[in-house]
């Protein structure tokens, strides 16, 4: 099981500085984070199935989501989309479903454990496709 770092298209060392890191350390950390993403994308070559976890309070139609999911579709890799943070008012699972019509979407809250049974059931179904 691989837990990849969050795949972002933009890593700004100044974001690390906002967390009280010095400039040099922030630049080093940003470089490492970028490397982590490159490695995560390489790992996609070797996986049997992918659980894509998105923040359901954010716009699902981001460039990075479209690129990653497009890549998985092209490779015929089974995918389950998890719309996380349904404990927040802003969360919109329907919007996530509309953005990824190819895949099953399960809404959960990792924070308070909501819908975990449905999630495990979906992972089991996903494993059968792998
Ligand atoms: N409200 C709410 N917040 C959550 C939930 N799950 C995670 N978070 C918060 O979201 C932030 C990111 O959570 P992480 O678990 O670090 O996310 P990640 O995708 O593993 O992040 P990276 O591995 O660093 O890319 C943290 O502040 C969590 O507390 C949730 O279900 N509800
Ligand atoms: Mg993580």
């Amino acid at each position: 099981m691989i837990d990849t770092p969050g795949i972002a298209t933009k890593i700004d060392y100044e974001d690390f500085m906002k967390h009280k890191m010095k400039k040099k350390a922030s630049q080093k950390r940003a470089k490492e984070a970028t490397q982590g993403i490159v490695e995560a994308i390489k790992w996609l070559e070797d996986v049997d199935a992918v659980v894509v976890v998105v923040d359901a309070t954010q716009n699902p139609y981001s460039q990075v989501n479209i690129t990653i999911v497009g890549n998985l579709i092209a490779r015929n890799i089974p995918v389950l989309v998890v719309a996380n943070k349904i404990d927040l008012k802003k969360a919109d699972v329907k919007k996530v479903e509309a953005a990824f019509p190819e895949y099953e979407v399960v809404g959960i809250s990792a924070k308070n454990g909501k819908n975990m049974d449905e999630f495990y059931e979906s992972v089991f179904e996903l494993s059968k496709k792998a």
Side-chain angles (χ1 to χ4, degrees):
M1 189 137 42
I2 305 164
D3 174 23
T4 74
I7 298 177
T9 42
K10 181 172 168 282
I11 296 175
D12 195 340
Y13 76 88
E14 284 169 343
D15 288 340
F16 290 98
M17 290 179 75
K18 286 180 199 146
H19 294 272
K20 294 191 182 127
M21 280 176 83
K22 295 230 165 67
K23 188 171 175 179
K24 273 257 148 36
S26 295
Q27 286 171 331
K28 183 165 178 277
R29 188 66 195 84
K31 228 182 215 175
E32 288 164 356
T34 306
Q35 190 55 37
I37 290 169
V38 171
E39 274 167 32
I41 291 168
K42 277 193 203 148
W43 273 110
L44 293 179
E45 304 261 342
D46 293 316
V47 296
D48 302 309
V50 173
V51 177
V52 174
V53 183
V54 299
D55 181 340
T57 69
Q58 302 291 311
N59 173 25
Y61 295 95
S62 66
Q63 193 62 57
V64 64
N65 284 359
I66 287 159
T67 305
I68 294 290
V69 172
N71 191 303
L72 295 169
I73 292 170
R75 292 175 198 230
N76 272 320
I77 297 174
V79 169
L80 169 66
V81 176
V82 172
N84 190 30
K85 305 198 185 180
I86 59 166
D87 54 287
L88 300 176
K89 251 217 199 101
K90 255 188 79 187
D92 190 346
V93 177
K94 287 263 175 307
K95 195 168 177 186
V96 177
E97 281 170 355
F100 305 109
E102 304 86 351
Y103 295 126
E104 193 197 338
V105 174
V106 53
I108 67 156
S109 168
K111 188 176 179 180
N112 63 22
K114 187 136 193 270
N115 253 354
M116 292 311 286
D117 285 347
E118 197 189 328
F119 167 69
Y120 290 130
E121 194 59 47
S122 302
V123 170
F124 182 61
E125 292 303 318
L126 179 72
S127 73
K128 289 194 214 163
K129 294 181 198 155

